[in-house]
């Protein structure tokens, strides 16, 4: 039996049909720019790629193309036993994935104020997928769930108590599926039991976060109420002084919404470099002397190293530091610069092993006398498929 994994954004759908047992991907692809005249679907069949224009298409149109694609590949609806949906915010309601019922949908809806861009898209995607795959069991897998094990000292902000008790203002954390997956893979690589390990995981993609994982449970992470807190990211600022909004309102006449939008989409690597949000592009520009690109990479790495050090505070020793995500898996230079700042933790890079670990390769990149620093490619689709299968086994 196959599990369909769906990740619905505001104008996109990523899908993968895979075997949750061994991770074999039968089909995958994405629909993008939905709702616009340029909407299109990209179908990946192994190494082959097929593009289908979907002018002004919505989720239903995308799932229509997906159903035809399944039929063309001789896959019947009955073979898809389960659909796993990535849902960004589960608030304090969900500490584990959940089979989608009317009550679960209501709880996801209750989290919309916490993730006003993501959760409505996730809900719309679930509705369209339930219509397209009425026979399958649908399961929600939350980005926040893994971090629900954080203790109050890590998840509470030092703000008036009623903001927490009445408005759910606390730290939730994100990228939980990825942090949990790479922690499990790292344990496998080290040949040790995850429940005996103390790890720090760095998920570095367009969004970036670091997590502290003690005996298989998240005990702290760098993202907070929303995915804006913490590290420097592609277009997100990460931490800033909370007085920034008021200061810019007074000094620059900006509204709350304008500052919030700029912190989310014009800041981070893009804001610092004035060039772009793509680490590859910035590394190339920095190599030719672009001052903004150099500064962006330097601030990114410094803040990352500082946060990794902070994430060792809940641990009594560091059994491994794990790099993952597009930047973590591919940028040997970001890893090397970060490890160079973390000598205080005994971390030492092995330059040759570090350069060799690119393009999906897993491996140890530290010297034998250092705590292990590992590159572990993430696989959120496989983790969502596994979690989906696990939920269905237990109901
Ligand atoms: P993700 O969100 O996990 O797909 O990661 C996207 C980020 O990974 C972007 O900033 C890319 O520039 C970065 N990335 C992908 N490949 C490389 C590479 N070879 N070197 C540096 N950064 C890379």
């Amino acid at each position: 039996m196959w599990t369909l994994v769906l990740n619905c954004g505001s104008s996109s759908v990523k899908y993968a049909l895979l075997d949750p047992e061994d991770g074999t991907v039968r089909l995958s692809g994405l629909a993008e720019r939905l709702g616009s005249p340029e909407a299109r679907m990209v179908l990946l069949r192994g190494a082959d790629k097929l593009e289908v224009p979907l002018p002004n298409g919505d989720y239903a149109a995308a799932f229509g193309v997906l159903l035809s694609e399944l039929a063309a590949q001789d896959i019947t609806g009955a073979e898809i036993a389960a659909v796993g949906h990535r849902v960004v915010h589960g608030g304090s309601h969900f500490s584990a994935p959940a089979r989608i019922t009317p009550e679960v949908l209501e709880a996801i809806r209750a989290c919309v104020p916490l993730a006003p861009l993501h959760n409505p898209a996730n809900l719309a995607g679930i509705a369209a997928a339930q219509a397209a795959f009425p026979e399958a069991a649908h399961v929600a897998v939350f980005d926040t769930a893994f971090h629900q094990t954080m203790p109050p000292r890590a998840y509470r902000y030092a703000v008036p108590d009623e903001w927490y008790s009445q408005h759910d203002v606390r730290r939730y954390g994100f990228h939980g599926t990825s942090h949990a997956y790479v922690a499990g893979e790292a344990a496998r690589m080290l040949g040790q039991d995850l429940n005996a390990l103390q790890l720090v995981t760095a998920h570095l993609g367009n969004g970036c976060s670091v997590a502290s994982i003690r005996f298989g449970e998240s005990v702290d992470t760098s993202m907070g109420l929303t995915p804006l807190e913490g590290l420097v990211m592609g277009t997100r600022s990460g931490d800033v002084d909370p007085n920034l909004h008021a200061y810019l309102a007074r000094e620059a006449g900006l509204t709350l919404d304008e500052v919030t939008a700029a912190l989310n989409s014009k800041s981070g690597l893009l804001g610092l470099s004035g060039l772009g949000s793509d680490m590859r592009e910035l590394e190339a520009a920095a190599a030719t002397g672009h001052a903004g690109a150099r500064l962006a990479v330097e601030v990114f790495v410094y803040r990352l190293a500082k946060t990794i050090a902070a994430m060792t505070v809940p641990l009594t020793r560091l059994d491994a530091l794990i790099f993952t995500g597009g930047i973590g898996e591919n940028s040997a230079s970001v890893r090397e610069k970060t490890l160079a700042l973390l000598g205080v933790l005994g971390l030492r890079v092995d330059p040759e092993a570090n350069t060799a670990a690119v393009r999906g390769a897993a491996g140890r990149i530290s010297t034998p006398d250092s705590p292990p620093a590992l590159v572990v490619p993430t696989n959120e689709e496989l983790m969502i498929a596994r979690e989906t299968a696990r939920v269905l086994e237990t109901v």
Side-chain angles (χ1 to χ4, degrees):
M1 295 299 259
W2 299 91
T3 297
L4 179 65
V5 173
L6 295 175
N7 182 355
C8 295
S10 56
S11 62
S12 68
V13 177
K14 284 192 199 135
Y15 71 88
L17 185 68
L18 43 82
D19 180 340
E21 297 281 319
D22 62 9
T24 311
V25 178
R26 180 128 178 224
L27 295 171
S28 66
L30 74 159
E32 52 191 2
R33 297 187 223 154
L34 292 174
S36 80
E38 296 82 36
R40 62 181 192 146
M41 188 119 174
V42 180
L43 308 170
L44 302 172
R45 301 169 176 167
D48 295 333
K49 187 170 155 181
L50 186 73
E51 267 192 44
V52 182
L54 276 180
N56 301 311
D58 56 6
Y59 292 123
F63 290 134
V65 175
L66 178 55
L67 283 167
S68 318
E69 166 72 351
L70 294 170
Q73 301 295 316
D74 283 331
I75 302 168
T76 63
E79 278 180 274
I80 299 173
V83 181
H85 297 264
R86 178 184 185 205
V87 178
V88 168
H89 218 308
S92 300
H93 295 279
F94 297 102
S95 54
R99 186 165 183 162
I100 295 175
T101 61
E103 293 74 32
V104 165
L105 287 175
E106 201 40 55
I108 297 173
R109 221 167 275 128
C111 296
V112 165
L114 292 167
L117 298 178
H118 294 104
N119 274 31
N122 298 152
L123 283 163
I126 290 170
Q130 283 180 321
F133 301 96
E135 307 295 326
H138 291 254
V139 172
V141 180
F142 300 91
D143 260 25
T144 47
F146 179 59
H147 300 298
Q148 280 294 303
T149 46
M150 286 195 291
R153 70 176 186 180
Y155 74 68
R156 289 295 299 270
Y157 291 112
V159 296
D161 183 70
E162 60 269 23
W163 293 3
Y164 169 64
S165 54
Q166 291 172 27
H167 300 292
D168 304 316
V169 172
R170 51 157 285 179
R171 307 180 66 255
Y172 292 95
F174 297 86
H175 295 140
T177 308
S178 179
H179 288 295
Y181 177 80
V182 298
E185 286 298 293
R188 218 170 45 80
M189 282 164 69
L190 295 167
Q192 292 186 51
D193 183 355
L194 178 62
N195 295 327
L197 287 173
Q198 304 194 55
L199 308 169
V200 172
T201 50
H203 176 101
L204 310 173
N206 283 317
C208 301
S209 67
V210 179
S212 181
I213 301 175
R214 191 162 183 266
F215 309 143
E217 291 188 341
S218 171
V219 287
D220 202 353
T221 190
S222 59
M223 282 178 167
L225 177 74
T226 74
L228 185 59
E229 188 176 334
L231 300 176
V232 173
M233 313 182 209
T235 62
R236 283 174 251 168
S237 61
D239 292 341
V240 292
D241 187 318
N243 272 324
L244 190 66
H245 281 81
Y247 176 80
L248 285 171
R250 278 197 314 272
E251 293 299 312
L254 297 180
T255 64
L256 274 182
D257 283 350
E258 284 168 341
V259 178
T260 305
L263 291 174
N264 277 284
S265 55
K266 291 188 191 158
S267 300
L269 294 172
L270 171 65
L272 280 165
S273 68
L275 194 65
S277 62
D278 190 305
M279 184 56 89
R280 249 169 317 199
E281 187 191 347
L282 296 184
E283 286 186 336
T288 63
H290 189 288
R294 281 195 176 167
L295 177 69
V297 176
E298 202 181 335
V299 177
F300 179 92
V301 164
Y302 178 72
R303 289 264 296 272
L304 172 59
K306 217 161 92 162
T307 307
I308 289 170
M311 286 295 145
T312 63
V313 168
L315 310 180
T316 54
R317 50 170 206 274
L318 179 63
D319 291 323
L321 167 65
I322 294 130
F323 290 94
T324 194
I327 298 172
E329 291 168 35
N330 294 297
S331 176
S333 129
V334 164
R335 293 191 305 247
E336 179 163 357
K337 290 186 178 120
T338 306
L339 290 173
L341 290 171
L342 290 168
V344 69
L345 299 178
L347 285 157
R348 308 259 179 282
V349 71
D350 174 336
E352 266 176 43
N354 184 40
T355 321
V358 282
R359 281 185 282 282
R364 180 175 172 141
I365 58 165
S366 53
T367 56
D369 60 338
S370 160
L374 308 175
V375 176
V376 181
T378 195
N379 191 339
E380 289 172 271
E381 288 80 16
L382 175 57
M383 190 69 180
I384 292 174
R386 281 187 190 159
E387 297 269 84
T388 299
R390 199 163 55 86
V391 168
L392 297 175
E393 272 162 22
T394 56
V395 286

